[in-house]
Amino acid sequence: MLPSLFATAARADPGDYDHMMGWGSGGFGMIFGPVLWLIVLGLVVAGVIWLVRRLDEGAGPGRKSGALAELDLRLARGEIDTEEYASRKRLLGA
C-alpha cells in the first residue's frame, strides 16, 4: 500500500514518459532561451534609462537655460549693469 502512495507518471508508464514532451533534449532552446532573456532584460534597462533621461532633460515651467541662469547670477553679483543684462537677454531670445 505504501508504494502506491508514491506512484508517479514515470513509474506508472516508464516507456512513454518524456519530460520534454517531444521537444527533444533541449539543444538550441537551452542556448537560445537565456540569450533571449538577456536581450529582453537589456531592452527593459535601456528603456528605463531612456525614459529617465528624457524626463530629466525636459525644461519644465520656471526652469531656465544655463545661459539665462548665468546671466541672472551675473546681474545679481553686480558684474553687469541692467542695460547690458537687457541687451544680452534679448540676444538670447528670452
Side-chain angles (χ1 to χ4, degrees):
M1 171 123 174
L2 191 60
S4 66
L5 293 175
F6 299 107
T8 63
R11 289 186 184 147
D13 196 8
D16 291 335
Y17 180 70
D18 184 13
H19 68 281
M20 296 296 286
M21 293 188 285
W23 287 93
S25 63
F28 183 71
M30 291 185 72
I31 294 171
F32 186 66
V35 171
L36 179 65
W37 278 111
L38 286 175
I39 290 171
V40 169
L41 182 64
L43 288 174
V44 168
V45 169
V48 168
I49 290 172
W50 176 81
L51 183 64
V52 167
R53 286 185 179 175
R54 180 90 171 171
L55 292 175
D56 190 38
E57 71 186 19
R63 190 170 174 187
K64 298 180 180 181
S65 70
L68 284 175
E70 181 66 30
L71 188 61
D72 289 343
L73 285 174
R74 290 185 66 194
L75 178 67
R77 285 188 221 130
E79 295 175 5
I80 58 175
D81 59 357
T82 55
E83 293 88 23
E84 188 176 355
Y85 174 79
S87 68
R88 289 184 184 217
K89 193 170 182 178
R90 277 193 303 272
L91 285 174
L92 289 173

